[in-house]
Every structure is written in C-alpha cells, then in structure tokens.
Amino acid sequence: MRHEAARPHRPSRLRHFVLWWVKMGLLISLGLCGAFGWFVYDALRPAPAIAPRTDGIVALTGGQGRVDMSLRLLMQNRGDKLLISGVDTQATKQDLLPPQLPEDLKDRVTLGYLARSTIENASETAAWVADNRIHTLTVVTAGYHMRRALVELRRTLPGVTLYPYPVLPPALEHPLQPPTLRLLLREFAKWLGALAGFAHTPSHVAG
C-alpha cells in the first residue's frame, strides 16, 4: 500500500495577516520615531546668525522671547513692518513695546488681537500681509512651534516667501527632562495633525 507524501505545513491566512500587520506596525513605529527625532533636532536648531531682510516680520505670541526677538529684528532693520499676532485684548503698544523704541519704529508695529490659535494666527497674518503688500515674511516663534506654524501660514500665504527665525525658549534648554519631552511629543502630534489637515477647526488655545 502506497503512502502519500506528507504535505508541507503552510501557515494559515490568519497567521499571514497577523504577521503582515505586525511588520507594518513595526515599520510605522520606526518611521514615527525617526520623524520625532528629526522634529526634536529641528526644534533645537538655533536661528540663523544673520536674519534675512524681508518686507515684514510676524511674531506669533504664546511663549517667551518671541515678541522681544521680533522687536530686535525690527530695530536691526531686518523687516519694514512687524505684526505681533495673538495679543491679549487688553494689551496696548505701551504695554508691549519698550519705552526706548523710537516712535517711527512704533508706527511700524501692528498688534493683532484676533488670533487665539495657530490657525487664527495664519488667518490674521494673511489679512495683514494683504493690507501691507508683503511678499517676503520672517516668522518668529518657538522652535518647537515653527514647523506647525509654517504649515498653516503656507496654506494662507501661497504667494509669500517665508523665512523661519526660531526662538529657543527656556523649556528647550533641557530637552531630556520629562516636561520638555511631553511638550515636544504634544507639538509633534499637532504638527502631524496639521500636515494631515486635522487642525482646521479653530481652537481657543494659542500656540
């Protein structure tokens, strides 16, 4: 009596399916880790040694050093006009601008009171750019916020050349501390959401 040769064992379709998803999960996880590493590196990069000369400067409020840096650039004549976007409704130029700032420079500063989120910063900036015929714009915000800010600004300013000028806030001086890592992870997730178009509902939280 002849015996049939044993058939080779073949993994089931379910096993193939599970293995495929495990591999995909690992690849996605590795990709996200790499993207987060680049995001942190980019967030910690210092501003250029020499700021570009542009038609305008916009400072997106919501963190330390942003307004001061934008005023410094204005005083160095690195931009013709300055918008400070997302100012508290009770604040005035007298509150925000240093008394030693010359009057002719104060006249070149606009306070924007409408923005309470990065998306609203972009909308407010777009209106100011159109009113002032701005073609090149220096963007001043925190390094961890810069990527998301540029995504939103490019959507509202398709014909304007943007130059990032990041500020290194105290929160980023110790990037490995748990609070800083949480901040970076949160901003990384928001940036991914902005890239995917998930952040187009105005928020009431600035920055």
Side-chain angles (χ1 to χ4, degrees):
M1 184 175 178
R2 295 175 63 185
H3 295 280
E4 294 183 2
R7 294 181 179 179
H9 175 70
R10 295 180 179 179
S12 67
R13 289 185 177 180
L14 178 60
R15 184 182 177 190
H16 274 304
F17 182 76
V18 171
L19 287 174
W20 185 85
W21 275 108
V22 168
K23 291 177 181 178
M24 288 300 297
L26 287 173
L27 287 173
I28 291 171
S29 297
L30 287 172
L32 286 173
C33 287
F36 179 65
W38 173 86
F39 180 83
V40 173
Y41 170 78
D42 186 69
L44 296 175
R45 282 197 301 177
I50 300 176
R53 178 71 174 81
T54 56
D55 299 330
I57 303 165
V58 60
L60 309 183
T61 59
Q64 295 183 34
R66 305 180 191 186
V67 173
D68 290 343
M69 178 60 74
S70 66
L71 288 171
R72 193 174 307 140
L73 293 176
L74 182 68
M75 289 187 285
Q76 293 172 354
N77 200 34
R78 306 316 299 168
D80 294 332
K81 298 178 180 180
L82 167 63
L83 169 66
I84 303 175
S85 176
V87 175
D88 186 272
T89 54
Q90 305 300 318
T92 65
K93 284 189 177 183
Q94 187 174 358
D95 299 324
L96 289 178
L97 306 184
Q100 67 271 23
L101 189 69
E103 289 298 324
D104 62 318
L105 291 184
K106 290 180 182 178
D107 292 339
R108 290 157 57 183
V109 178
T110 300
L111 303 185
Y113 294 100
L114 301 179
R116 292 295 176 269
S117 70
T118 303
I119 295 172
E120 292 174 353
N121 284 139
S123 297
E124 185 170 62
T125 302
W128 177 78
V129 162
D131 290 342
N132 292 276
R133 299 179 180 179
I134 302 293
H135 300 288
T136 55
L137 182 67
T138 299
V139 181
V140 180
T141 189
Y144 61 78
H145 182 233
M146 184 62 75
R147 289 297 118 190
R148 181 160 58 99
L150 291 176
V151 169
E152 301 299 349
L153 286 166
R154 283 174 179 142
R155 285 188 173 125
T156 60
L157 300 169
V160 177
T161 303
L162 304 178
Y163 295 92
Y165 201 85
V167 173
L168 187 67
L172 293 188
E173 291 178 0
H174 305 285
L176 297 182
Q177 295 294 324
T180 305
L181 284 174
R182 285 194 294 269
L183 169 66
L184 290 168
L185 281 168
R186 185 168 63 249
E187 285 296 326
F188 176 67
K190 289 181 179 180
W191 172 61
L192 292 179
L195 287 175
F198 294 153
H200 278 273
T201 299
S203 163
H204 293 292
V205 180

